[in-house]
Amino acid sequence: MAKALEGVRILDFTHVQSGPTCTQLLAWLGADVIKVEKTGSGDITREQLRDIPGVDSLYFTMLNHNKRSLTLDTKSARGKAVLERLVKHCDVLVENFAPGALDRMGFTWERIQELNPRMIVASVKGFGPGPYEDYKVYENVAQCAGGSASTTGFDDGPPLVTAAQIGDSGTGLHLALGIVAALYQRKSTGRGQRVLAAMQDGVLNLCRVKLRDQQRLARTGVMQEYPQYPHTKFGSAVPRAGNASGGGQPGWILKCKGWEKDPNAYLYFIAQAPVWKEICKAIGKEAWITDPHYATPDARLPRLMEVFAEVERWTLTKTKFEAMAELNKHDIPCGPILSMEELAAEPSLRATGTVVEIDHPTRGKYLSVGNPIKMSDSPTEVRRSPLLGEHSDEVLKEIGFDESEIRALRNEKVI
């Protein structure tokens, strides 16, 4: 069965996480992704956080599935000549170099257009145009600069970054969508274009509900669904809201049976208005159904922590899975706090390909996240990450180099 992006060739000049997330997703969707790596060493994450000496790290293998590896010294004249030929044969160049790096290599947008007017050049940067566009950015910096950290955590504590890689992987996902859109537009225009995804922009996009709340706060001075209400005065900026929901559905994380020994024996519970009667019945507080202090959402707002405390008295008598099963019988929204250990062992995630087991020639078997996007006519086969330079000869032959030329490039340490 044909893949969604079959026939699209990606020239992958990305490293670490944001760019490789983008190109891996495109590879999962069927694109031929040629990962260009520094001769001799390759992507720096091959050796970062290693758990097996001398073997590609999980950091690298889990971000570079379904790709081919070509080593290339792009600083040499011969290397630049190879790169020019690659540009002519590819559809998309993806990079997350420091600002201006491509230009310094001699591959400005104008030069790339001369070589291939249909080429799409897609970039991840820390910041978009403005005072910080030349600054270097990493995951946690992006979370802080994009508004996530200031609104994460509890009101009496410092800002917090989240474990979800919304700066790196989140921006990579945004860039992948931009690339697919540019490929689609090229069908009608015949031209390539530049695609930019800035990490600050991507994080802010994922935090849009907090920008919504900033405007509400500026207008009214108060946000009743936040845990600060009505006991704490609001400031001028959106505060940290603990485990409150960002969507107006009052929720909180509650302890379950076994929490004293299990740090993940918790349940996220939502006191959703349409099922309020069912909530009251489930926890044995039927009197709240008609009590004017609890009967309506507006009446409950200043008493939400009291409501959650009462629900927690009930959840403490059950495991998180027992509580979830019971609450879902009544359509009461909730969800268990699942650890990475539990997710790795979950059979349903293995069955859908969300978690996959990969066999690697030097590492052996390891678990990875599979394609989160499921398509009926373009199923994903997750293949292992490439060894350094594994496909150099293969790729060069495809773009017109013969055996003697390849040997010369290898002898000169260009590849």
Side-chain angles (χ1 to χ4, degrees):
M1 187 178 291
K3 304 292 186 181
L5 294 181
E6 190 170 300
V8 174
R9 181 172 281 177
I10 310 289
L11 189 55
D12 182 4
F13 270 101
T14 70
H15 57 285
V16 190
Q17 185 180 164
S18 58
T21 296
C22 168
T23 53
Q24 178 172 260
L25 183 58
L26 298 174
W28 279 340
L29 295 174
D32 176 17
V33 176
I34 301 169
K35 184 176 180 71
V36 182
E37 300 188 71
K38 185 178 179 180
T39 304
S41 56
D43 189 322
I44 192 173
T45 56
R46 284 186 183 269
E47 61 183 42
Q48 284 186 339
L49 304 175
R50 273 182 172 151
D51 56 319
I52 303 174
V55 172
D56 287 341
S57 72
L58 287 166
Y59 196 4
F60 177 84
T61 60
M62 293 175 69
L63 283 162
N64 291 282
H65 293 124
N66 295 48
K67 302 178 185 180
R68 297 194 288 170
S69 173
L70 163 71
T71 52
L72 188 63
D73 176 9
T74 57
K75 294 182 180 180
S76 69
R78 294 289 297 275
K80 291 182 189 298
V82 173
L83 181 51
E84 286 190 355
R85 197 178 298 189
L86 283 165
V87 168
K88 292 176 181 178
H89 282 80
C90 292
D91 298 285
V92 185
L93 187 155
V94 189
E95 59 91 13
N96 61 336
F97 292 131
L102 264 185
D103 291 356
R104 290 190 294 273
M105 288 168 58
F107 288 86
T108 63
W109 167 247
E110 290 74 20
R111 177 58 180 149
I112 291 172
Q113 285 287 285
E114 289 175 6
L115 294 167
N116 182 356
R118 291 173 57 81
M119 172 66 79
I120 293 160
V121 178
S123 305
V124 171
K125 298 302 175 201
F127 294 97
Y132 309 118
E133 61 184 303
D134 293 331
Y135 286 33
K136 187 176 287 188
V137 174
Y138 293 94
E139 170 66 45
N140 289 351
V141 175
Q143 290 192 29
C144 294
S148 175
S150 72
T151 55
T152 302
F154 288 85
D155 199 37
D156 58 354
L160 289 176
V161 297
T162 172
Q165 303 289 281
I166 60 175
D168 275 324
S169 288
T171 306
L173 294 172
H174 282 94
L175 187 65
L177 176 59
I179 290 169
V180 172
L183 286 167
Y184 184 82
Q185 188 173 16
R186 193 178 70 175
K187 289 179 176 290
S188 58
T189 66
R191 301 193 310 272
Q193 61 181 295
R194 285 174 288 185
V195 180
L196 170 66
M199 294 173 72
Q200 182 186 45
D201 299 358
V203 171
L204 180 56
N205 184 46
L206 296 174
C207 294
R208 67 178 64 188
V209 297
K210 299 302 182 180
L211 183 59
R212 171 204 67 190
D213 290 348
Q214 180 62 48
Q215 295 171 87
R216 294 172 56 229
L217 179 63
R219 185 177 297 276
T220 66
V222 66
M223 292 181 292
Q224 295 182 342
E225 78 283 1
Y226 273 54
Q228 288 83 353
Y229 175 80
H231 312 290
T232 305
K233 181 178 175 61
F234 285 84
S236 61
V238 172
R240 292 179 277 286
N243 291 313
S245 167
Q249 300 289 346
W252 207 251
I253 290 180
L254 308 177
K255 297 173 183 173
C256 292
K257 187 176 182 180
W259 70 274
E260 299 91 343
K261 296 182 178 179
D262 181 356
N264 294 299
Y266 289 82
L267 181 86
Y268 195 89
F269 175 87
I270 299 176
Q272 193 178 44
V275 290
W276 176 245
K277 290 182 180 179
E278 286 72 17
I279 291 171
C280 295
K281 293 174 184 177
I283 66 173
K285 297 290 290 186
E286 288 89 344
W288 277 0
I289 296 174
T290 55
D291 187 326
H293 293 101
Y294 301 95
T296 67
D298 287 344
R300 290 192 293 274
L301 280 174
R303 300 173 176 83
L304 280 178
M305 299 315 294
E306 180 185 343
V307 170
F308 293 135
E310 193 64 36
V311 177
E312 188 174 69
R313 277 190 274 274
W314 178 83
T315 60
L316 280 167
T317 67
K318 303 179 184 300
T319 69
K320 60 189 178 185
F321 297 110
E322 291 170 344
M324 181 175 68
E326 182 63 31
L327 293 171
N328 272 274
K329 290 178 183 177
H330 308 285
D331 291 327
I332 300 170
C334 63
I337 307 305
L338 295 178
S339 68
M340 285 297 146
E341 182 180 27
E342 290 169 314
L343 290 166
E346 173 54 48
S348 65
L349 296 179
R350 302 285 189 98
T352 60
T354 298
V355 174
V356 293
E357 185 176 74
I358 306 295
D359 199 1
H360 190 275
T362 57
R363 163 170 289 283
K365 294 185 183 298
Y366 68 95
L367 291 183
S368 186
V369 176
N371 190 353
I373 300 171
K374 310 298 194 288
M375 299 175 67
S376 63
D377 285 0
S378 183
T380 299
E381 175 192 0
V382 179
R383 302 191 302 273
R384 68 167 176 85
S385 60
L387 301 176
L388 180 61
E390 181 177 353
H391 304 96
S392 295
D393 290 12
E394 177 181 293
V395 170
L396 292 176
K397 287 177 183 177
E398 289 175 1
I399 61 173
F401 286 86
D402 61 30
E403 292 282 0
S404 62
E405 291 174 310
I406 293 172
R407 278 196 303 272
L409 291 170
R410 194 172 297 284
N411 290 335
E412 296 175 25
K413 295 184 170 51
V414 175
I415 61 171

